Amino acid sequence: MDVSRHIDRAEKEVGRKNFDLAISLFDQILALDPDNGRARQGKRRAELAKYAKAYPSSGSTAIKNLGYRIGIGFGKTLRMNNMVANMSEKALSNDPRNVALNLSLGHALLAAGHKNGAEAAFAVVAEFAPDDIEALKILGRLYYDNKKYDESLACYERVIKISPRDQEAVKMRKNLAAEGAIKSGGFEGAGSARDLAKSQGQMEELEKRQKIVRSSDDIDGAIKDLQAEIEGQPNEASLHRKLGQLYFQKRDLKRAAESFQSVLRLDKDDRETADRLGDVKLLEFDTKIREFKAEAQAGEDGAEDRQRRLQKERKTFRVDEFRRRVKVHPTDSGLRFKLGQYLLDDEEYDEAIAEFQIVVKDPKRKFQAMTLMGRAFAKKGHWQLATKQLTQALQGMGGINEKNLEIVYTLARAYEEQGEAEQALSHYQSIYEIDISFKDVGRKIETLNSP
């Protein structure tokens, strides 16, 4: 059954902020087609939007969802996956930002064979809880199974940023890089790699393209081949771009920069290469800073001062570089988020806040942006504004847990600065219950408890 028109209507109701009607329409669609990913995702987002301004307290949601949680536990025990999914959906209608309930829904849908619905469920978790490794890894695998290689790679890249030693993510990134190499080489339509390789030379070329980690000899050989091609076609920007990428892979940063500059001389509007050139320059800074740090540790005179000066230069370049990127890509909230972070690091609080105020419109980064905006307000001494942003960010992240203690601490301090000792004490105690050694919370609690 084609339900796309019904989904269109439900999505329009979300746009009109008729959330209850939209949710009802999505429920009707899911009753007919429980594996409809678009409807499943639409319902999750409608529920999140419904509570965007005023989220129910944890106490009220716990009471409302008690029966549903019992049903979830019963369904899991009996392996009644559809029951678990239905109970999870009902509980989420009261507490849509609850990560555990969203994961319960996704796992139940997956176990019931509803892969599209599961993909949608985990995708929503990855939006409002961007650091949840479990959701990202499952979503990455589902994308991979559906041959959505770019989306899958993005998931595993996010996992590696959070947990660089995650072996599953590292392995999958290598596999996905291979898939990307095959696709970019025009081989994706073949029944097998050998079907396309009609000569030994073609097979060798395919194998080269599939290599993720090249040896030094492989890179040097590829560089020589490209240099020979460039001699015959010196004005072919794509050849200089490939050469720059090889030099970058070899960590020959000077020659990588020269190659990317050659590309920009030939094609000044090549935005991607301009970004890569910026990446090279940032890595050059990092390399030199590490050298100065080693020299300082060895006791070399003046090395520490050189390190500090270079770190300051890097900060300035980084902000300028990301201002340039945002100017070129004004709708890219990821770039704006990074620029906001860098401005915050540089104590440019007003500019940082301005960037975060734009980023909060992106559901994927909304609560992260609120967190950093709250910190910026706190740095400026605007404690009421900091309290508002940090409270909403915590609610959006599913409440207090071991991952967001820094946010809770800043919020507690904001309450303390406003003279709201009871609220401050409550938040410090929440941290203490999870991590007794976190910063100076023990002393804070003693101070606030003293007469």
Side-chain angles (χ1 to χ4, degrees):
M1 180 183 294
D2 184 7
V3 295
S4 58
R5 288 172 56 194
H6 300 287
I7 296 176
D8 289 340
R9 184 191 168 195
E11 289 174 345
K12 285 180 181 177
E13 295 302 332
V14 174
R16 294 173 183 145
K17 298 187 178 180
N18 295 329
F19 300 122
D20 288 334
L21 175 56
I23 291 166
S24 175
L25 292 170
F26 282 128
D27 277 334
Q28 292 174 36
I29 295 164
L30 291 170
L32 296 170
D33 182 8
D35 195 31
N36 191 301
R38 185 180 164 195
R40 186 77 62 181
Q41 198 166 51
K43 184 186 178 187
R44 295 269 66 74
R45 288 174 173 164
E47 288 173 340
L48 288 166
K50 177 181 177 180
Y51 292 114
K53 291 186 177 180
Y55 202 81
S57 68
S58 57
S60 67
T61 56
I63 293 169
K64 289 180 181 178
N65 285 341
L66 180 60
Y68 298 139
R69 285 186 176 276
I70 293 171
I72 290 169
F74 185 72
K76 286 181 178 179
T77 301
L78 297 179
R79 297 185 180 180
M80 298 171 66
N81 298 311
N82 286 321
M83 178 183 178
V84 174
N86 290 334
M87 291 293 103
S88 299
E89 276 281 15
K90 289 177 180 179
L92 283 166
S93 67
N94 298 319
D95 192 6
R97 295 176 193 159
N98 188 300
V99 174
L101 287 173
N102 275 281
L103 292 175
S104 173
L105 172 64
H107 283 295
L109 291 169
L110 196 56
H114 301 317
K115 286 190 175 182
N116 294 324
E119 180 183 304
F122 289 117
V124 173
V125 177
E127 287 177 9
F128 75 85
D131 292 335
D132 191 277
I133 289 177
E134 180 182 354
L136 287 169
K137 286 166 70 171
I138 297 172
L139 184 60
R141 172 57 69 177
L142 289 169
Y143 281 145
Y144 182 83
D145 290 344
N146 286 329
K147 298 185 179 179
K148 298 178 182 178
Y149 299 131
D150 291 341
E151 292 91 337
S152 181
L153 179 59
C155 288
Y156 288 113
E157 291 284 8
R158 285 168 64 181
V159 172
I160 291 167
K161 280 188 178 181
I162 301 164
S163 179
R165 296 184 180 181
D166 190 297
Q167 293 302 308
E168 179 186 348
V170 171
K171 180 179 178 181
M172 285 302 298
R173 181 172 64 174
K174 289 182 179 181
N175 292 343
L176 284 157
E179 297 286 358
I182 294 170
K183 185 177 179 182
S184 64
F187 303 109
E188 68 272 23
S192 69
R194 259 175 219 287
D195 291 339
L196 280 173
K198 296 182 180 178
S199 70
Q200 184 62 30
Q202 285 176 305
M203 176 56 73
E204 289 172 359
E205 176 63 21
L206 176 56
E207 288 171 352
K208 283 182 182 180
R209 288 177 180 271
Q210 286 180 296
K211 282 189 179 179
I212 306 308
V213 181
R214 296 187 180 199
S215 69
S216 179
D217 290 341
D218 287 333
I219 295 173
D220 289 341
I223 286 172
K224 286 181 181 178
D225 291 344
L226 274 171
Q227 287 172 333
E229 286 189 68
I230 288 171
E231 285 183 12
Q233 303 177 71
N235 295 325
E236 180 55 53
S238 64
L239 296 177
H240 290 281
R241 188 183 303 110
K242 290 177 183 177
L243 184 60
Q245 290 165 349
L246 287 171
Y247 278 131
F248 185 78
Q249 187 175 348
K250 191 180 178 182
R251 287 300 185 264
D252 188 338
L253 301 179
K254 182 181 177 181
R255 287 191 174 90
E258 290 171 353
S259 295
F260 290 141
Q261 286 165 348
S262 296
V263 175
L264 294 174
R265 281 194 293 271
L266 295 166
D267 183 3
K268 59 183 178 60
D269 295 324
D270 188 332
R271 298 171 177 178
E272 183 177 346
T273 297
D275 292 349
R276 298 294 74 75
L277 181 60
D279 292 338
V280 169
K281 290 181 177 178
L282 285 168
L283 194 54
E284 284 178 327
F285 274 115
D286 292 337
T287 303
K288 201 66 179 174
I289 288 168
R290 282 196 297 271
E291 291 174 5
F292 288 155
K293 184 177 180 180
E295 291 171 3
Q297 290 173 341
E300 187 171 323
D301 290 342
E304 194 170 333
D305 288 336
R306 291 195 296 273
Q307 180 187 341
R308 277 196 296 265
R309 284 198 300 271
L310 202 60
Q311 285 172 329
K312 187 175 180 180
E313 286 179 31
R314 186 192 187 281
K315 277 189 170 185
T316 300
F317 174 81
R318 181 180 65 178
V319 167
D320 290 343
E321 170 66 11
F322 275 83
R323 279 183 177 137
R324 180 195 66 77
R325 295 188 189 188
V326 166
K327 186 176 180 180
V328 174
H329 309 282
T331 61
D332 190 325
S333 62
L335 290 178
R336 285 192 178 277
F337 182 74
K338 287 183 179 179
L339 176 58
Q341 286 180 299
Y342 301 150
L343 288 165
L344 183 59
D345 287 344
D346 279 5
E347 300 181 1
E348 298 288 348
Y349 301 128
D350 289 337
E351 285 189 69
I353 290 166
E355 294 300 330
F356 295 136
Q357 285 173 336
I358 296 172
V359 177
V360 292
K361 298 174 184 176
D362 179 358
K364 294 180 181 179
R365 297 178 176 85
K366 179 176 181 178
F367 302 116
Q368 288 176 297
M370 281 182 171
T371 298
L372 295 184
M373 199 190 315
R375 288 180 185 170
F377 280 132
K379 291 288 187 181
K380 286 175 66 67
H382 297 337
W383 300 109
Q384 285 186 327
L385 293 172
T387 300
K388 179 181 178 182
Q389 294 297 325
L390 294 171
T391 300
Q392 290 181 356
L394 274 178
Q395 290 174 342
M397 295 175 182
I400 299 170
N401 57 59
E402 66 277 3
K403 294 180 182 179
N404 55 32
L405 296 185
E406 187 67 45
I407 302 171
V408 184
Y409 185 89
T410 307
L411 180 57
R413 183 166 172 248
Y415 279 123
E416 191 176 1
E417 291 288 341
Q418 294 173 80
E420 298 185 35
E422 187 176 338
Q423 285 277 22
L425 179 60
S426 174
H427 282 81
Y428 285 132
Q429 287 173 333
S430 296
I431 297 172
Y432 197 77
E433 289 174 357
I434 296 172
D435 185 353
I436 194 173
S437 63
F438 190 87
K439 292 191 173 181
D440 60 346
V441 290
R443 183 177 61 80
K444 289 281 191 183
I445 291 170
E446 288 179 10
T447 302
L448 290 169
N449 273 325
S450 63

